[in-house]
Amino acid sequence: MKSQSTVDPGDLVQSIYCAFPEFSPGTQQDSQEFLRLMIDKLDTALKEHSSVKSSSFVFEVFKGRIETKVECKNCGSVSACEEDFLDLPVSLPESSELPQLNQESQKIMSEVDKINFHKKSKSKLSFFTKCFGGYSGKVLGLYDCLIDNFKSEDLHEEANLYYCEKCDGKYFSRRTNKIKQFPNVLIVVFKRFKYQRSSSKITKHIELPLSLNLDSFASEGSAPNYYLGGIIQHTGSLVRGHYTAFSKNHRDNLWYEYNDKFVKQRTLEKVLSSQAYIAFYIQNFEARQPLTNEPEEAYLPLEWYIKYQHLANPGPITLSSILCEHNNFSPLVDTCNAVPCSIKLWKHLNHQFSSQEEYLTSNTYCKTCLEYFRVLESRVQEEKALIESLSKEDSKLGPWFFVSAEWMQTWNTLMRWSLKTCVRPELPGPITNSVLFEEDELKSNLVRNKHYSVVNPKVWKALSLLYGFDVEVKRAFASIYFGKNVPDEEVTFPEEMYQRIRSLKIN
């Protein structure tokens, strides 16, 4: 048997504890809450390192969209609204509803799932649940939950009456929810926990289909096909519980259980008998061959190409991650971030994924941008050396000048910038000391280095000449709350120094 490499997630776990202290060892937390926090954290981090700030790879994996329609029973008019979702919470239907739900579920199940479903309905599990008041011999399946949650709802109660703009009044209505946009990975969360007067957990087994047909829940057209890719199981009570995970390995098509530091291969029967709390369904698609030996006629962004390799729907091709403002290849992007392909393939992919982009035919850096960034890089290095030399001329007697930490952070980031960082630099505007004040009064509890920095007169003079400022804050001492009465003493530089500073100023 070939040896397989493993990954030690220790560093990742420690990072999670730092990012989310509430999930430290020994605490009882909800895996759905953790999953949402984790997705949001990853999305934020990825957007910070991407030229596309609206969304990240993570959101494009999990994001779907629900369409809600409300029909006025008085005039028949329909209003619609849409809302994004990252997971799909579903309630568990009552036992009395199961016979009717089971019949409807049979209509949309695959043949394989129908066979498994009938086996379960005749199993000992169903016999015991029937004897002890569980499900009256009927098996609860994911389709039952989806049908129950997506059924139309009549709004007849006084508190829920719909205000119809056309009728200019509140009337009876019917509300319907459908899935408008299907995610690449669908996360289904079963509402097992009840938080009312007394909290409790619903322990009913839920039969999960291996393949998922969502055509009945699509707002229009047909839905993509999904297969079961993972399960999070919750065992124990609401107060003292334990989470384990089951995941299908796409390389060997085998299932594995992850229980703390232990990983074991599991049979499909064992996986499907788990007490699912969260189920992960992945869109089916044929494996795509890597683009090798392609002629260098056009270029695809690496960001999009990775999605193309791993997601059923990678979305439209967007060149913004590799283009500059002149629509040429950006010098802030490494050439390895552009994947070569033929123009014929580009046009095919452009059409297949509804893109509107014109293809990029060269990965040669934009000359205009390259010249600008080289000049900026040289200017940054010179300014950094200038401020460092002026900082060494500290006057222990003062006076001292104060710069908001918010502005200083932007300036320090610029001083660390170079073309090698492959990030567009943020240029500081005027020094914003006004953030240190509230209604013309200095804020209380300001802390040095956290809220402000202290610089000597020559550094302040140079920075104010380079960037300007909104409010000057000067003290006789290196504390922002003491020594306000400071005599006006103008700092002057030799003409040569003035000329040097003017040459560094960004227009």
Side-chain angles (χ1 to χ4, degrees):
M1 182 177 178
K2 293 182 179 179
S3 62
Q4 295 181 337
S5 62
T6 59
V7 176
D8 181 2
D11 290 341
L12 173 62
V13 173
Q14 289 301 321
S15 298
I16 289 171
Y17 292 158
C18 292
F20 313 118
E22 63 271 30
F23 287 92
S24 297
T27 59
Q28 295 287 322
Q29 301 292 348
D30 180 53
S31 61
Q32 180 196 13
E33 182 185 357
F34 168 74
L35 194 57
R36 287 183 173 180
L37 288 171
M38 190 69 174
I39 290 174
D40 185 66
K41 188 74 173 179
L42 288 172
D43 175 65
T44 302
L46 287 171
K47 284 192 292 189
E48 288 176 355
H49 295 85
S50 172
S51 60
V52 183
K53 303 298 183 182
S54 57
S55 65
S56 74
F57 180 82
V58 175
F59 262 51
E60 291 178 36
V61 171
F62 299 108
K63 189 183 77 172
R65 184 170 297 152
I66 291 285
E67 180 183 61
T68 300
K69 290 184 177 179
V70 180
E71 178 187 2
C72 175
K73 290 298 184 180
N74 186 54
C75 68
S77 63
V78 178
S79 65
C81 65
E82 298 177 9
E83 183 178 6
D84 292 341
F85 69 89
L86 295 175
D87 56 42
L88 196 62
V90 294
S91 302
L92 277 59
E94 298 294 331
S95 304
S96 58
E97 300 175 280
L98 268 186
Q100 179 62 35
L101 291 173
N102 281 178
Q103 289 182 14
E104 295 182 45
S105 297
Q106 296 290 315
K107 299 175 184 177
I108 54 179
M109 278 186 189
S110 68
E111 292 303 319
V112 173
D113 286 318
K114 282 182 182 178
I115 294 171
N116 291 334
F117 193 84
H118 286 302
K119 285 181 180 179
K120 290 289 184 179
S121 65
K122 297 177 182 179
S123 68
K124 294 180 181 179
L125 174 64
S126 295
F127 172 76
F128 281 112
T129 53
K130 180 177 180 179
C131 291
F132 292 100
Y135 260 77
S136 304
K138 294 294 181 180
V139 174
L140 171 64
L142 171 56
Y143 283 119
D144 302 316
C145 298
L146 291 174
I147 292 170
D148 184 58
N149 279 266
F150 278 95
K151 66 186 178 184
S152 297
E153 180 183 8
D154 290 320
L155 305 178
H156 289 166
E157 296 181 6
E158 185 67 30
N160 292 331
L161 289 182
Y162 166 67
Y163 177 80
C164 176
E165 293 185 357
K166 188 175 180 179
C167 301
D168 193 22
K170 292 185 176 182
Y171 293 92
F172 292 167
S173 61
R174 170 166 288 191
R175 181 170 58 201
T176 305
N177 293 325
K178 295 287 185 181
I179 302 177
K180 177 81 170 181
Q181 177 185 321
F182 289 88
N184 283 285
V185 176
L186 175 66
I187 303 176
V188 182
V189 182
F190 299 103
K191 295 182 178 180
R192 289 191 175 275
F193 305 119
K194 289 186 175 181
Y195 301 97
Q196 297 173 344
R197 291 183 179 178
S198 59
S199 301
S200 61
K201 176 189 171 184
I202 303 172
T203 58
K204 298 168 183 175
H205 176 75
I206 302 168
E207 190 67 20
L208 298 177
L210 296 177
S211 60
L212 192 60
N213 176 6
L214 296 174
D215 285 351
S216 301
F217 313 104
S219 63
E220 55 186 14
S222 59
N225 294 317
Y226 288 87
Y227 69 89
L228 181 63
I231 298 171
I232 294 177
Q233 172 183 239
H234 182 271
T235 55
S237 66
L238 187 63
V239 179
R240 293 188 64 83
H242 183 65
Y243 288 107
T244 54
F246 297 90
S247 179
K248 186 177 183 180
N249 188 311
H250 71 279
R251 293 181 178 175
D252 58 18
N253 283 323
L254 297 175
W255 282 89
Y256 294 87
E257 179 183 11
Y258 300 85
N259 185 356
D260 291 338
K261 63 181 179 180
F262 301 103
V263 179
K264 294 181 180 180
Q265 184 182 327
R266 293 301 188 192
T267 64
L268 180 59
E269 184 180 7
K270 170 69 175 177
V271 173
L272 295 179
S273 65
S274 63
Q275 195 173 100
Y277 174 46
I278 301 176
F280 298 82
Y281 280 89
I282 304 169
Q283 274 197 43
N284 272 312
F285 70 100
E286 292 185 9
R288 296 169 180 141
Q289 295 300 317
L291 302 183
T292 56
N293 301 320
E294 282 283 325
E296 297 187 10
E297 298 175 344
Y299 293 88
L300 293 165
L302 180 62
E303 282 187 11
W304 184 88
Y305 177 67
I306 292 172
K307 292 187 286 186
Y308 171 76
Q309 286 289 97
H310 298 284
L311 300 180
N313 180 16
I317 301 172
T318 54
L319 293 173
S320 56
S321 62
I322 61 175
L323 291 185
C324 69
E325 60 190 74
H326 308 104
N327 287 326
N328 298 318
F329 197 77
S330 172
L332 296 177
V333 179
D334 195 297
T335 52
C336 67
N337 286 315
V339 181
C341 68
S342 66
I343 292 177
K344 181 180 178 181
L345 178 59
W346 169 277
K347 289 181 177 179
H348 170 72
L349 295 174
N350 214 34
H351 174 73
Q352 183 180 358
F353 297 106
S354 305
S355 304
Q356 303 295 325
E357 294 276 13
E358 292 292 330
Y359 51 82
L360 179 67
T361 57
S362 173
N363 65 344
T364 302
Y365 290 139
C366 173
K367 292 181 179 179
T368 304
C369 288
L370 187 58
E371 177 63 22
Y372 169 78
F373 287 123
R374 281 175 174 168
V375 170
L376 180 62
E377 185 176 46
S378 175
R379 174 214 174 281
V380 165
Q381 292 171 355
E382 190 173 350
E383 180 181 334
K384 183 179 180 181
L386 169 66
I387 299 301
E388 285 179 349
S389 66
L390 294 177
S391 297
K392 294 175 182 178
E393 301 180 25
D394 282 342
S395 171
K396 296 183 180 180
L397 299 177
W400 300 99
F401 289 80
F402 297 79
V403 181
S404 71
E406 182 181 288
W407 186 89
M408 187 60 78
Q409 182 178 0
T410 304
W411 182 82
N412 281 326
T413 301
L414 177 63
M415 292 302 104
R416 291 191 295 268
W417 177 85
S418 71
L419 266 169
K420 293 180 180 179
T421 61
C422 294
V423 176
R424 174 173 286 276
E426 180 184 355
L427 303 180
I431 298 171
T432 52
N433 279 341
S434 56
V435 297
L436 302 174
F437 292 82
E438 193 168 27
E439 296 182 357
D440 298 328
E441 292 292 330
L442 200 63
K443 292 180 180 177
S444 59
N445 302 320
L446 293 176
V447 179
R448 183 173 178 173
N449 296 330
K450 182 179 180 181
H451 299 109
Y452 63 87
S453 296
V454 183
V455 298
N456 67 32
K458 290 186 177 180
V459 170
W460 170 258
K461 182 71 174 180
L463 290 177
S464 61
L465 286 172
L466 286 168
Y467 299 100
F469 60 92
D470 55 7
V471 179
E472 181 183 272
V473 183
K474 181 170 62 171
R475 299 288 185 267
F477 308 107
S479 173
I480 201 167
Y481 293 110
F482 300 99
K484 294 183 180 181
N485 297 321
V486 184
D488 289 330
E489 295 182 9
E490 182 68 23
V491 174
T492 59
F493 291 129
E495 184 59 30
E496 183 181 346
M497 178 66 77
Y498 275 116
Q499 292 298 333
R500 183 183 176 189
I501 293 173
R502 290 192 188 100
S503 69
L504 294 176
K505 190 170 183 179
I506 301 175
N507 297 322

